[in-house]
Amino acid sequence: MYGKQAITPHDYQSLGEALALSAPSCGYPYVTLDISRITAVQLMSVGTECGTCLRIETSPSNYIEDGATAGLPDVAMATHFAATTTDFPQLPTTSVADYAVNRRSLQRRSGSDSDAVRYIYVLAVDTGGRGLDMAQVSFTALFGQSLSPMEAAWFPVDATYCDDIWRNSTKEQPKSPTSMGKIPIFTGQSEAPAGLGPVDGKDNNQPTSSASTLR
């Protein structure tokens, strides 16, 4: 599972009490997962690729701090974002295209190394979306907002990076997902293989490069 294109947020937590009785496409009950750190993958073999740990990378310049300059409402911004199943903003994630970011208005950050990225580890447990449909909480932590599709690259990594996403099975677990402020976001050098691109309608099992990406 490899790709590089705009990805979207998915509001898993709005399922509320239904989380205790349901499961995503891979069949793992939501009560066994930290639903703040999961993702759906547009092209995924449910039989062989479920439970893959993915590293999602994006340029630091894609982090939006000022929603007004990008044409996004305050409620969509990280500073206004709350993530609980009992008090969760019902944001229109099904029509995120209506909130396309005015990228010319964003301040590009200067850095000493153009390969520096922000990244997060998420668990692939569902199918659908555009490229990826990532848990809205993680999406907001990575990009600073929760409505506009944003450019990212993704590729599989060692499963140990996602060990803490698996949870004990309790009906109370979905009520206490990881809060956005505690989502582990990292910065460092990109490890994405060369040749990643859009996956719409294409097999996204291999990048152009044959270099290993499991780290």
Side-chain angles (χ1 to χ4, degrees), residues 6 12 26 45-47 69 82 84 89 105 123 131 139 154 157 162 166 173 177 181:
Y12 284 101
C26 288
S45 171
V46 173
T69 62
T84 70
S105 66
L123 194 67
F139 188 96
W154 65 93
V157 295
C162 291
W166 298 100
Q173 186 272 324

Side-chain angles (χ1 to χ4, degrees), residues 13 34-38 83 122 135-139 177-179 183:
Q13 282 153 289
D34 178 351
I35 57 173
S36 299
R37 298 174 57 201
I38 60 177
V122 296
Q136 193 174 32
V137 186
S138 286
F139 188 96
T178 300
S179 64
I183 295 291

Side-chain angles (χ1 to χ4, degrees), residues 35-107:
I35 57 173
S36 299
R37 298 174 57 201
I38 60 177
T39 190
V41 183
Q42 180 180 356
L43 298 178
M44 178 171 70
S45 171
V46 173
T48 60
E49 295 179 318
C50 283
T52 298
C53 184
L54 296 177
R55 172 164 159 157
I56 317 299
E57 294 186 355
T58 192
S59 167
S61 65
N62 285 332
Y63 185 82
I64 302 174
E65 294 180 289
D66 184 356
T69 62
L72 294 170
D74 284 345
V75 70
M77 308 310 296
T79 51
H80 297 265
F81 195 85
T84 70
T85 54
T86 56
D87 183 20
F88 195 75
Q90 298 300 303
L91 300 177
T93 53
T94 56
S95 58
V96 290
D98 295 338
Y99 290 94
V101 167
N102 179 2
R103 299 179 192 283
R104 291 183 179 180
S105 66
L106 302 182
Q107 295 288 331

Side-chain angles (χ1 to χ4, degrees), residues 55 58 60 115-120 142 184-190:
R55 172 164 159 157
T58 192
D115 290 332
V117 294
R118 288 169 57 85
Y119 61 96
I120 188 174
L142 186 62
I185 301 293
F186 305 94
T187 58
Q189 300 303 299
S190 174

